[in-house]
Amino acid sequence: MTEANSGSDVLRPITIAGALDALGGGRQIMAGATWLMRAPVRGEAPPKAAVLIGSIPELQQISIGQDQVTLGAGVTHTKLAEALAGVPALKGLVTAASRAANPPIRAVATLGGNLCTAAFAAGDLSPQLLALDARVTYATKDGTQDMDMSQFLAARGNLSGGLLTRVRIPLGNFRSAHARLPLRKAGDYPVAIVSARMDQNESLMRRVRIAVGSVEATPRRWSGLEAALEGQPYDLKAIADSAGSLTNEFTGRDGVEADGWYRTKVLPALVRQVFEDLSMQFAERP
Ligand SMILES: Cc1cc2nc3c(=O)[nH]c(=O)nc-3n(C[C@H](O)[C@H](O)[C@H](O)COP(=O)(O)OP(=O)(O)OC[C@H]3O[C@@H](n4cnc5c(N)ncnc54)[C@H](O)[C@@H]3O)c2cc1C
């Protein structure tokens, strides 16, 4: 027996295979439930039948190796931030996980729930994982699919009947940073996010990755700015100027918490913030 049935419309599997078997019949995966239980606030019906995935040990695993970090999809924001606090390359991810939302939400909201909520544009973890070249594993009854973050974000609205099981992040000598702009009228949600990762070699910026979240409906890489900075010497003013001249790569979404034009307008300041942070991290690098 691999499953404990905790009610006619709620199943609590203890294996990934059990969870995949339990999906169907209109049941929805429920992790921390911080998004699902606010369905009425969004004018949506709450789920009538659920598959609770919090008792699957594999989804709670965190493995920190020489070359790669692997995170189970059920890891909460709080646990993620605690576990990775000693990994210098992933400071940006630790910042994202420890600044998102508020402490009670972070204690239960999971990595998988944050990445799988296609309707939520303001997620902190997706842009950071884009910048870190992370890959995700999505399991269905037909097998598992390995996707990079861009592929996953493009596909996630159409994925069903499966389970995000883990996220893998390659490690290296790079550094990462995360900047977000919350406004009081936006509650805990950031109106714009910039995540970045880079290496520094002979004072030149290398392997630059920059991703933007909350500005458009889906986070994505800022490819024009990455290309403009790659191989250039670190110069904070030049970096911010380049960002200022390339914000037209984005079309900000209008929302109750901020107009679209405002979301793009603040991007150069957020870029400046992440590159200042990166510079300080390189100054401290042994
Ligand atoms: C007040 C408040 C403030 C917030 N502020 C922020 C913020 O600043 N930054 C930020 O990033 N987020 C923020 N959030 C969003 C929060 O982080 C998400 O609600 C949370 O990450 C969702 O995780 P969960 O485990 O609760 O997911 P759930 O609510 O359980 O599920 C969310 C969705 O993901 C699906 N799902 C969950 N896990 C999986 C899986 N492993 N595989 C496939 N599908 C899955 C569910 O079926 C559901 O559709 C905020 C939320 C609240 C309530």
Side-chain angles (χ1 to χ4, degrees), residues 219-233:
R220 66 181 169 94
R221 298 253 302 267
W222 194 342
S223 50
L225 186 56
E226 289 177 359
L229 303 187
E230 184 67 37
Q232 296 298 311

Side-chain angles (χ1 to χ4, degrees), residues 259-280:
D259 289 340
W261 67 265
Y262 183 77
R263 295 181 200 269
T264 54
K265 179 105 179 151
V266 298
L267 287 176
L270 292 175
V271 167
R272 197 183 170 91
Q273 215 176 306
V274 288
F275 277 86
E276 251 174 339
D277 185 350
L278 287 168
S279 165
M280 283 191 284

Side-chain angles (χ1 to χ4, degrees), residues 2 9 28 39 57 66 78 80 108 126 169 180-181 184 209 212 214 217 237 254:
T2 56
D9 57 1
Q28 212 174 340
Q66 282 284 103
T78 303
L80 187 161
V108 291
S126 302
I169 307 161
R180 61 204 298 279
L181 179 69
R184 183 176 292 185
R209 300 276 187 280
V212 170
S214 198
K237 184 177 179 314
D254 288 331

Side-chain angles (χ1 to χ4, degrees), residues 23 28-38 42 51 53 59 73-77 96 99-102 105-106 108-118 120 122-126 138 152 162-166 180 182 186-190 193:
L23 286 170
Q28 212 174 340
I29 293 169
M30 191 178 279
T34 61
W35 180 261
L36 286 176
M37 295 317 280
R38 284 168 65 96
R42 298 188 295 273
V51 178
I53 57 171
L59 299 183
V75 170
T76 64
H77 286 60
R99 301 264 168 85
N102 55 56
I105 297 287
R106 291 197 292 269
V108 291
T110 64
L111 169 62
N114 196 258
L115 299 188
C116 290
T117 310
F120 182 49
D124 276 88
L125 301 182
S126 302
Y138 188 80
F152 171 72
L163 187 66
L164 185 80
T165 57
R166 62 179 185 168
R180 61 204 298 279
D188 294 302
Y189 296 166
I193 299 168

Side-chain angles (χ1 to χ4, degrees), residues 44-121:
E44 300 163 8
K48 286 201 170 67
V51 178
L52 308 184
I53 57 171
S55 303
I56 302 175
E58 204 176 327
L59 299 183
Q60 306 299 327
Q61 284 173 3
I62 298 176
S63 140
I64 304 173
Q66 282 284 103
D67 304 325
Q68 168 174 291
V69 162
T70 306
L71 302 167
V75 170
T76 64
H77 286 60
T78 303
K79 287 217 172 95
L80 187 161
E82 284 170 4
L84 301 184
V87 183
L90 301 186
K91 184 186 169 205
L93 184 57
V94 171
T95 305
S98 54
R99 301 264 168 85
N102 55 56
I105 297 287
R106 291 197 292 269
V108 291
T110 64
L111 169 62
N114 196 258
L115 299 188
C116 290
T117 310
F120 182 49

